Amino acid sequence: MPDTVERLRWVAEAFANSHNGLLITDRDGIVVDVNPTFTAITGYTRDEIVGNNPRILHSGLHDAAFYADMWATLDKEGAWQGEIYNRHKNGEIVVELIAIHAVHDAHGQVSHYIGNFSNLTRFKRYQSQLEQMAHYDALTQLPNRVLLADRIRQAIAWVQRQGTLVAVCYLDLDGFKPINDRHGHPVGDQVLIEIAERLRQEVREGDTVARMGGDEFVLLLADMDNLAEIETILNRIQQSIAMPLRAACDETVTASIGVTLYPIDSEDPDLLLHHADQAMYRAKTAGRNGHYLFDPEQDQQSRDYRDGIETLRQALNSGQMELYFQPIVDLRSGQPVGLEALIRWHHPQRGLILPDEFLPGERPGLENSALAIELDLWAIEAALAHAATWNTPARPLLISANISQRTLQWPQFTTQLQQLLRRYPMAAELHLDLEVYETTALADLPLTAEIIQRCQEMGVSFALDDFGNGYSSVTYLKRLPAQMLKIAPNFVADMLSDPNDRAVVESIIALAHAFGRTVVAEGVETTAQIHALLAHGCDLAQGYGIAAPLPASRIAAWLKDFKADPDWTAGDSHTAQRH
Ligand code: C2E
Ligand code: CA
């Protein structure tokens, strides 16, 4: 066994030569010793720090809560470890990984703290260089295609809220290759750097200029109002590029630019880039130094899109939207059981307009706008407000509202729905049902199933609308917890004349019942259809043959007066009474 003096000598050697910085304080946090590596990391010599509080190292980059947390952990657990940004004596920030532990005396009281530091600054710098390399072009320092795809996605998310446009502009230099050949690659590189700098100066903050490689660049212009605005920017850019090049003895190049616009075009960044690239080739073949739209119709469409959103939003905000309600009845009892809310637009000039003409799903690009969600939420809220007045404990009504795919998949949808339900406590007694197209539900089956599940936990059920026109497969149905299937009206309309349609109706009813779901026949117009549906065991029905969609003001009276036609059960085939 070495003697104590010998051991102390070894420990002192280890302390002095450790590659980690070591700092020892007393129980009050006053420094009693440091090793040479500590001095190397922080710049403070032993004499400068001993007797002081290590607080002099603070960089100001951590708040008081950070240190309070550190001390609380030290008190509780006797040790703490983490990354700290400290300040070197010369003012530079140093990133350190620090492990601190408490040393206890013979009575179990803390007598000292020992801090063990390693310097992460170089590692951090290396890490950020790697990030830079992964996302930026080494020559021009512009974002590369990886970062560009990310920026495109961000721009799309942004304009979906604003209802504006994103322009993806693919730019290729004309006449770059001859310069590169004549002057050599180093000059070519300088030209690209010079062009990159000009591009950066011509776009607004928030826009992105990326380099795709070679002499190809992409400009991402977000939040654009119209094509004229985009053209102004592109003209400016083309002028700027055509200026004499300092790097190449004042020679000149020009640029051909191809443009595509979201949301007229796809929301897939790769596809947008591909389309802009195709348009760029058209610009090149049409004569250099020009720009070209991927699809010339985008011009008109982008105007229609902006106008369409603007008009619809104004219509919604100025109370021109109204809900009609179409009764749903139980075929066997002949009792009204529910009402489907259907939106109508009272256009100041054109009169009453049906949803097929104005709903976002019917117009290019509109379904991507946040307006699709606003309209659906408005309709759900208006339906709840009306329904609260008709619903009685004796007659608990099913209130159905239609929602689009965009609303269903909107991440905030379930929380917004929850808030709406809280605002209408009466709604707790009625039964809110949301209708989504069968095809919509299948767009992302696991997600849809999860949303439906969450809504069910709030007491809201789902119906698959227009059932029969999609895949209508057993596998899908098994995985979708929707309680109701609505047979598409085209099958009901022809079920008496077309054996195929009749077979579809029969099998939907059988399928629904096999899975314990309720079936609603839509578009029921005649008593003969009602008889056939009853014979096949269909549960509920709606259609002109029972009642057309009615203004809310007429619903209370309808509910009071409605009597199912006795013919329904008499097996007669007269047309059902119209209301
Ligand atoms: P849908 O959900 O399939 O609604 C049924 C449509 O069939 C309604 O058209 C209704 O008026 C019509 N209809 C009812 N009975 C009969 C009948 O016996 N024969 C025939 N031929 N048609 C009948 P509407 O009101 O024009 O609605 C069209 C579509 O617009 C609806 O189809 C629904 O998907 C959508 N929609 C309506 N309101 C909203 C809403 O607030 N939000 C969303 N996202 N979509 C809505
Ligand atoms: Ca519907």
Side-chain angles (χ1 to χ4, degrees):
M1 280 285 280
D3 65 17
T4 314
V5 176
E6 180 78 345
R7 281 196 70 216
L8 278 178
R9 208 169 53 77
W10 292 351
V11 172
E13 277 295 301
F15 184 77
N17 293 306
S18 164
H19 280 278
N20 279 4
L22 294 167
L23 166 125
I24 306 175
T25 73
D26 63 16
R27 78 178 66 154
D28 301 319
I30 300 301
V31 178
V32 296
D33 205 356
V34 296
N35 72 348
T37 305
F38 173 90
T39 303
I41 296 175
T42 65
Y44 289 95
T45 62
R46 188 171 180 280
D47 289 348
E48 285 168 329
I49 187 105
V50 168
N52 276 308
N53 190 299
R55 212 174 281 139
I56 61 171
L57 300 169
H58 286 190
S59 61
L61 294 174
H62 301 287
D63 56 12
F66 174 86
Y67 295 105
D69 206 48
M70 176 181 107
W71 280 109
T73 310
L74 267 175
D75 274 349
K76 200 161 134 245
E77 291 165 22
W80 179 90
Q81 174 164 317
E83 273 180 30
I84 289 194
Y85 288 78
N86 273 338
R87 195 174 291 282
H88 190 277
K89 197 181 160 199
N90 68 12
E92 279 174 22
I93 300 289
V94 189
V95 195
E96 291 153 6
L97 179 67
I98 304 190
I100 305 177
H101 69 267
V103 181
H104 295 91
D105 62 18
H107 310 289
Q109 299 295 320
V110 172
S111 64
H112 293 85
Y113 292 99
I114 300 183
N116 189 331
F117 296 57
S118 48
N119 190 348
L120 294 182
T121 316
R122 267 176 48 208
F123 170 73
K124 286 273 172 188
R125 209 175 291 143
Y126 183 57
Q127 196 178 26
S128 78
Q129 273 169 1
L130 278 180
E131 265 162 36
Q132 174 85 12
M133 274 158 60
H135 291 120
Y136 292 85
D137 167 50
L139 178 67
T140 60
Q141 305 305 320
L142 291 176
N144 64 11
R145 52 174 80 230
V146 178
L147 186 53
L148 175 66
D150 218 45
R151 297 269 174 90
I152 294 179
R153 276 187 280 270
Q154 281 171 21
I156 285 177
W158 171 254
V159 306
Q160 280 176 347
R161 286 195 293 273
Q162 309 299 315
T164 47
L165 305 163
V166 177
V168 178
C169 315
Y170 211 107
L171 185 152
D172 183 285
L173 297 180
D174 315 313
F176 174 72
K177 194 171 173 302
I179 291 187
N180 210 19
D181 292 346
R182 265 200 307 280
H183 298 271
H185 285 280
V187 170
D189 284 355
Q190 289 310 310
V191 168
L192 292 172
I193 293 172
E194 196 174 340
I195 295 287
E197 193 44 47
R198 293 184 194 181
L199 291 173
R200 228 186 324 233
Q201 286 189 352
E202 292 302 336
V203 300
R204 304 157 311 168
E205 207 178 313
D207 292 335
T208 296
V209 181
R211 178 165 178 234
M212 305 300 278
D215 60 350
E216 297 187 349
F217 299 85
V218 168
L219 311 172
L220 174 67
L221 310 174
D223 212 11
M224 294 278 119
D225 262 318
N226 50 51
L227 208 61
E229 200 181 338
I230 296 164
E231 282 196 332
T232 311
I233 299 178
L234 295 186
N235 285 332
R236 220 169 52 213
I237 282 173
Q238 276 170 324
Q239 276 170 19
S240 160
I241 288 183
M243 302 288 281
L245 293 160
R246 267 176 287 122
C249 314
D250 282 353
E251 290 202 55
T252 56
V253 289
T254 55
S256 297
I257 307 178
V259 183
T260 195
L261 302 174
Y262 173 86
I264 315 299
D265 200 346
S266 152
E267 70 174 67
D268 173 2
D270 287 337
L271 212 54
L272 286 169
L273 285 170
H274 181 60
H275 289 166
D277 188 21
Q278 278 178 299
M280 187 275 292
Y281 272 98
R282 297 244 299 272
K284 269 222 191 286
T285 45
R288 304 178 153 206
N289 196 22
H291 47 256
Y292 216 88
L293 263 181
F294 167 63
D295 174 0
E297 279 188 12
Q298 283 188 341
D299 180 15
Q300 188 55 43
Q301 285 177 351
S302 67
R303 260 191 293 252
D304 289 353
Y305 167 73
R306 296 284 295 137
D307 292 352
I309 286 205
E310 218 23 65
T311 334
L312 263 186
R313 185 164 275 139
Q314 271 170 19
L316 182 64
N317 293 338
S318 60
Q320 290 173 18
M321 295 297 172
E322 185 186 341
L323 279 190
Y324 273 42
F325 290 87
Q326 185 173 38
I328 303 171
V329 298
D330 182 316
L331 281 172
R332 281 176 286 268
S333 70
Q335 288 299 309
V337 291
L339 298 161
E340 176 177 4
L342 295 161
I343 197 165
R344 301 288 181 263
W345 179 5
H346 285 285
H347 194 282
Q349 280 86 42
R350 294 167 56 198
L352 194 75
I353 310 186
L354 294 176
D356 284 347
E357 251 189 272
F358 67 84
L359 272 191
E362 311 301 322
R363 307 248 198 120
L366 273 190
E367 72 274 17
N368 290 325
S369 142
L371 188 63
I373 300 172
E374 286 165 40
L375 277 167
D376 284 349
L377 290 181
W378 173 85
I380 296 175
E381 173 155 21
L384 288 174
H386 280 301
T389 64
W390 305 317
N391 195 53
T392 63
R395 179 181 273 152
L397 286 171
L398 181 80
I399 297 296
S400 300
N402 294 280
I403 59 169
S404 65
Q405 175 169 355
R406 185 144 163 70
T407 306
L408 183 74
Q409 298 186 349
W410 182 44
Q412 276 100 290
F413 177 60
T414 45
T415 30
Q416 289 291 318
L417 186 63
Q418 182 91 65
Q419 283 177 15
L420 274 182
L421 291 172
R422 284 211 194 98
R423 218 173 298 154
Y424 294 89
M426 289 290 289
E429 286 152 37
L430 53 85
H431 177 167
L432 180 66
D433 176 69
L434 297 175
E435 301 191 357
V436 290
Y437 282 127
E438 182 201 351
T439 41
T440 298
L442 298 183
D444 185 342
L445 196 62
L447 180 66
T448 309
E450 190 195 316
I451 296 168
I452 294 183
Q453 190 74 45
R454 262 189 275 151
C455 289
Q456 279 178 348
E457 284 159 17
M458 300 180 218
V460 176
S461 64
F462 269 79
L464 298 179
D465 216 349
D466 218 26
F467 199 83
N469 285 325
Y471 294 98
S472 314
S473 106
V474 177
T475 347
Y476 289 134
L477 196 57
K478 208 171 108 190
R479 292 176 55 194
L480 276 175
Q483 289 89 340
M484 269 205 300
L485 304 188
K486 299 191 81 170
I487 308 176
N490 49 315
F491 299 113
V492 176
D494 298 333
M495 64 182 286
L496 297 181
S497 53
D498 183 337
N500 287 331
D501 285 345
R502 192 183 188 102
V504 171
V505 172
E506 270 179 57
S507 56
I508 293 178
I509 296 171
L511 181 68
H513 288 166
F515 284 96
R517 319 286 166 92
T518 305
V519 202
V520 190
E522 277 197 285
V524 176
E525 298 189 353
T526 67
T527 310
Q529 287 165 350
I530 291 178
H531 288 152
L533 288 164
L534 261 171
H536 293 310
C538 183
D539 309 298
L540 310 178
Q542 92 189 74
Y544 297 156
I546 298 155
L550 302 168
S553 57
R554 290 182 50 197
I555 292 294
W558 187 91
L559 286 171
K560 192 153 82 53
D561 297 343
F562 176 75
K563 298 259 175 322
D565 194 320
D567 280 355
W568 283 14
T569 40
D572 192 312
S573 63
H574 294 153
T575 298
Q577 186 189 339
R578 279 196 182 210
H579 291 263

